[in-house]
Amino acid sequence: MAMARIAALGALVISAVALPAAAQEGGWTGQVTPYVWGAGIGGDVTPFTGAPTLTLDKSFSEVMEDLDGAFFLSGYARRDRLVLMGDLSVSSSSREGLVPPGVPARGKIRQSSLTLAAGYRALDTPDMHLDVLGGARLWQIDGLVDVMGGAVHRSGDKDFIDPIVALRANFTLSPRWSALFYADFGGFGVGSERTSQIVATANYQLTDRLYVSGGYRQLSVDYREGGTRIDMTMGGPLLGVTLRF
């Protein structure tokens, strides 16, 4: 069921990008960017009521040791001053260890987030483009704990939606070089207490349609309800390839 929801989220992102790309005669332009994200993790996670609190303070190399899989994709489209964007992040990690009084156990956390936003190009000059956007971030976080090889098994999941506001700025540095800065903030107690994201990249144009990017991304969330608490920040370098339509 969780994988079906993740697939549906991915389809929404692809649709948001591919539809404008197929409608260039109407003035649409679009781009899609698969990327790798070397994120370290910090914070506290209690995935469901009665579960132990996991205190996270891991570098990227430590995260890679526990990583089961990850997928990251972003898309952007524009027509005149109307802009649309989406970003999908999916990752799953697990670890084996001992719980008191020395009983073998395995824990697993899978998180997916989908950010969708629409907005207006407020500033459009040869050297700078500034977009003002509003939208939502959809979260799905699943937790699982097995004790004694599955003799004791507990799991839970949380799905919630955060409203967000965002700014996206693109700066032209030279004929082939540009810089991108994106920031959003939201939650406001609607889904989580707060969520935020920052992305900064330097971009190099290889061909008319192909770009490579390197930079930094940080994504955080603070969610509290009942016995569930998710206060988590993921941050680290990213590397992506962008195809423009």
Side-chain angles (χ1 to χ4, degrees):
M1 186 67 176
M3 293 304 296
R5 288 198 292 265
I6 291 172
L9 296 182
L12 282 172
V13 173
I14 296 298
S15 298
V17 175
L19 180 58
Q24 289 189 30
E25 292 182 0
W28 283 103
T29 60
Q31 64 186 53
V32 60
T33 306
Y35 61 96
V36 293
W37 181 27
I41 302 176
D44 296 313
V45 178
T46 308
F48 50 88
T49 301
T53 297
L54 307 176
T55 298
L56 306 172
D57 185 12
K58 297 183 178 182
S59 66
F60 173 57
S61 61
E62 293 172 317
V63 170
M64 288 300 294
E65 292 178 3
D66 301 336
L67 187 67
D68 298 327
F71 177 74
F72 308 109
L73 179 71
S74 68
Y76 178 85
R78 182 174 68 89
R79 181 179 182 180
D80 296 325
R81 291 186 177 267
L82 172 65
V83 295
L84 306 172
M85 62 155 287
D87 182 89
L88 175 66
S89 298
V90 180
S91 65
S92 178
S93 299
S94 60
R95 168 165 284 196
E96 295 182 357
L98 300 175
V99 297
V103 179
R106 181 176 68 94
K108 183 171 184 177
I109 293 179
R110 178 171 53 220
Q111 74 83 25
S112 60
S113 65
L114 174 64
T115 302
L116 295 173
Y120 179 78
R121 175 148 291 185
L123 183 62
D124 195 2
T125 72
D127 298 326
M128 178 183 176
H129 313 301
L130 177 65
D131 302 330
V132 180
L133 306 105
R137 181 142 54 238
L138 294 74
W139 292 92
Q140 178 187 332
I141 299 177
D142 302 324
L144 176 149
V145 177
D146 277 333
V147 181
M148 298 181 63
V152 178
H153 176 93
R154 295 197 62 185
S155 63
D157 64 84
K158 283 293 178 181
D159 300 321
F160 55 96
I161 300 175
D162 287 324
I164 61 167
V165 292
L167 291 175
R168 184 183 187 274
N170 196 305
F171 304 90
T172 301
L173 305 178
S174 73
R176 288 192 177 271
W177 283 97
S178 62
L180 173 70
F181 178 78
Y182 171 87
D184 69 39
F185 184 84
F188 310 113
V190 176
S192 69
E193 296 299 312
R194 61 162 181 81
T195 182
S196 63
Q197 181 174 203
I198 296 174
V199 180
T201 65
N203 318 296
Y204 181 75
Q205 183 178 2
L206 294 174
T207 69
D208 289 344
R209 293 178 177 266
L210 192 64
Y211 293 72
V212 292
S213 303
Y216 179 85
R217 180 188 183 206
Q218 179 177 292
L219 175 64
S220 68
V221 62
D222 182 0
Y223 174 86
R224 308 178 190 194
E225 182 183 49
T228 299
R229 182 182 179 189
I230 303 164
D231 186 2
M232 181 171 59
T233 298
M234 298 167 283
L238 67 82
L239 181 64
V241 177
T242 298
L243 179 63
R244 287 192 173 181
F245 303 93

